[in-house]
Amino acid sequence: MGAGHSHKLYRHGHSPVHELPAHCKLVAVFCFVLVVVSTPREAVWAFGLYAVLLATVAAVARVPAGYLLRRLLIEIPFVAFALLMPFVVPGEQVSVLGLSVSVPGLWGAWNILAKGTLGVAASVILASTTELRSLLLGLQRLRLPPLLVQIASFMIRYGDVIADEMRRMSIARRSRGFEAKGVRHWGVLAKSAGALFIRSYERGERVHLAMVSRGYTGTMPVIDVVTASRAQWSYAAALPVTALAVCLLGWTL
């Protein structure tokens, strides 16, 4: 299960977070997100503490705040959806900045923004401190179905190959004077998409035959088995356990 290259989200480093085994970090992030989602939306202070916890982890991992904030832009579509909720969700109305909005809509928007942002931030920190190959090995270590792990591995490995094939096709079209300027050119683009699909399918067939000829039997060999010590599990559990304590306090208050 080789990687081939590092993803642009990964930041090379030697921090304690980088050195944790991938499966420990995967479990920690999953449990942290589960705790965040389980927290009542009315416990506003709890989400602030969750943000402080993630900021602490990012500081220990030496992930710059600017880098983290730029990667959070991926959630803009969810932010746009959340901003519409106060105007479309029925319920008690209040005035905010001269606009009439619903109280349930405001709480719903806050719920999506707070929990979504924390979940994305945790995922970005995970991707920034763990190589893709290590993540795949971590998923395999956690007994995720091997077929899903292999699909993810091939998707990561050949995603750039397909993108490069698409880029070459685009250059070929432009070199022949083609420019998509309206609906009448959609047929050409559809044919290009079909050709790209056929090429990708044929490449997959060739790769599969090459793997079978080299002894592939349905599972990928694991050369280096990464194990985690009790201390590493304890270190990784610090984030979700602290978040769980905050969550329980939020339910009792």
Side-chain angles (χ1 to χ4, degrees), residues 187-237:
V188 177
L189 297 178
K191 292 177 181 177
S192 298
L196 179 64
F197 173 79
I198 293 174
R199 291 184 184 183
S200 303
Y201 183 84
E202 291 176 346
R203 184 188 295 271
E205 288 291 323
R206 292 196 300 271
V207 170
H208 179 260
L209 291 175
M211 293 172 61
V212 171
S213 67
R214 289 165 174 79
Y216 175 73
T217 58
T219 58
M220 299 294 288
V222 179
I223 299 176
D224 49 344
V225 178
V226 179
T227 58
S229 64
R230 183 175 300 178
Q232 289 174 320
W233 275 113
S234 301
Y235 189 78

Side-chain angles (χ1 to χ4, degrees), residues 20 28 32 53 57 231-245:
L20 279 177
F32 173 78
L53 287 175
V57 174
Q232 289 174 320
W233 275 113
S234 301
Y235 189 78
L239 175 66
V241 169
T242 306
L244 178 61

Side-chain angles (χ1 to χ4, degrees), residues 5-250:
H5 63 279
S6 295
H7 196 271
K8 60 182 179 180
L9 282 178
Y10 176 71
R11 288 179 60 88
H12 182 73
H14 300 285
S15 70
V17 180
H18 283 80
E19 295 173 358
L20 279 177
H23 55 284
C24 293
K25 289 185 278 189
L26 284 167
V27 172
V29 170
F30 175 79
C31 293
F32 173 78
V33 172
L34 190 62
V35 170
V36 170
V37 172
S38 303
T39 303
R41 62 187 184 182
E42 293 78 10
V44 177
W45 57 270
F47 296 101
L49 291 180
Y50 294 150
V52 172
L53 287 175
L54 287 181
T56 303
V57 174
V60 173
R62 302 185 183 93
V63 177
Y67 175 89
L68 182 60
L69 292 175
R70 287 194 301 272
R71 294 299 183 269
L72 287 178
L73 294 177
I74 194 175
E75 67 166 345
I76 286 180
F78 298 98
V79 173
F81 172 76
L83 293 178
L84 291 176
M85 294 187 66
F87 300 98
V88 298
V89 176
E92 179 186 352
Q93 299 290 312
V94 295
S95 180
V96 178
L97 300 177
L99 299 175
S100 180
V101 295
S102 71
V103 174
L106 287 174
W107 278 117
W110 160 252
N111 193 49
I112 292 177
L113 287 176
K115 296 180 179 180
T117 301
L118 290 170
V120 173
S123 301
V124 170
I125 294 174
L126 173 65
S128 302
T129 58
T130 314
E131 292 183 344
L132 281 177
R133 178 176 182 274
S134 299
L135 282 175
L136 294 173
L137 290 174
L139 292 173
Q140 184 169 308
R141 180 77 178 173
L142 294 173
R143 300 295 190 271
L144 196 74
L147 182 59
L148 294 181
V149 177
Q150 292 177 47
I151 291 174
S153 175
F154 293 140
M155 179 184 68
I156 293 169
R157 178 185 295 275
Y158 292 102
D160 292 339
V161 176
I162 302 303
D164 189 59
E165 186 75 22
M166 186 185 304
R167 182 184 60 82
R168 289 197 299 269
M169 293 173 66
S170 177
I171 293 175
R173 290 196 304 268
R174 291 199 302 269
S175 66
R176 290 164 174 80
F178 173 81
E179 289 291 342
K181 297 180 179 179
V183 178
R184 61 192 180 91
H185 293 130
W186 286 5
V188 177
L189 297 178
K191 292 177 181 177
S192 298
L196 179 64
F197 173 79
I198 293 174
R199 291 184 184 183
S200 303
Y201 183 84
E202 291 176 346
R203 184 188 295 271
E205 288 291 323
R206 292 196 300 271
V207 170
H208 179 260
L209 291 175
M211 293 172 61
V212 171
S213 67
R214 289 165 174 79
Y216 175 73
T217 58
T219 58
M220 299 294 288
V222 179
I223 299 176
D224 49 344
V225 178
V226 179
T227 58
S229 64
R230 183 175 300 178
Q232 289 174 320
W233 275 113
S234 301
Y235 189 78
L239 175 66
V241 169
T242 306
L244 178 61
V246 174
C247 178
L248 294 176
L249 186 59

